[in-house]
Amino acid sequence: MATTSSQPDIRLPGPGRPIVEVDGLDLRAVGPELAATLRRLAYEHQIVAVHGQDPEDVDAYLAFARALGTPEPYFQAHYHHPEHPEVFVSSNVPLDGKKVGVAGTGRMWHCDYSFFERPLAFTMIRPIVLPRAHRETLFIDMRRVLDELPDALRGRIEGRRCLHDAWDYYKVQPKDIDRAIRELIDEWHEAAPGAVHPAIVTHPATGQRNLFVSRGFTKRVVDLPEEESDALLEELFDFCEQERFVHHQPWAEGDILYWDNRSLIHHASTVPKGESSCSFRISLYDDLPFSRA
Ligand code: 7UC
Ligand code: FE
């Protein structure tokens, strides 16, 4: 693609380059046409890394997110950046001496917001403080998983629907001190009751189908007896999580990553004890339904 001062340099995946890479992007100058191109790249190629950006510039980051889609503030406010509710803070680093956001998020295979009726279109993330140790996000391409799913297994899940919830991942907050666990659980279940989605979805932009389950959030195959559902899900999760399907995406200073949340599941890497890590996430919707009917 031609490069001029106002046009970013976009490199498509190819040999030795598993994802889309973008250089020279002015985050504040993304017009509708370029935004459509940048969305399309994520729909088709799934992961996009925008390099060379200033991690201090939250306003530019937000401007870029707003150009690409519609930011959705996380449904629990204790994850929010104190000044920007659209920014989800995953951090073990105090800001101005105060705890901010939540530490250790996303450490399970999942799709963001799959426990709601409308899962997110894109997740955008940028490292703010990188630990000395390697930090990465792991991804599984659920289109490829569906393609390679053995016929017998595919036959058992095709046409089914699954219940998703985030019930195992409630993060205790300061306000929970002295409250009974029963009360916390009841409140949590009411705030995020879960949602039912097709086990196989069709991407509204590409028409490609993908398996749509994750060990973190998918709890039950609807209309199957519990034991049969548990066994089927276990087999599907084990199939998905084979190392050959897992892409390890390293985090680098100055990068902004965004990805297609419809066709990928992801998993955060852990931060070694005593090391600092902080990232800012922005969740985005687009104008399309989650799955084509
Ligand atoms: O703290 C976390 O790991 C957040 C998770 C339960 N939800 C992320 C999401 O957007 O679905
Ligand atoms: Fe996530």
Side-chain angles (χ1 to χ4, degrees), residues 74 79 105-106 108 112-113 115 169 171 217 281:
Y74 197 66
Y79 286 80
T105 64
M108 61 291 189
D112 288 334
Y113 266 28
F115 51 90
Y169 301 100
K171 303 293 168 61
F217 294 164
R281 159 182 144 180

Side-chain angles (χ1 to χ4, degrees), residues 88 106 108 110-112 123 259 261 266 281:
F88 167 118
M108 61 291 189
H110 68 285
C111 154
D112 288 334
T123 299
W259 65 83
N261 194 53
H266 62 282
R281 159 182 144 180

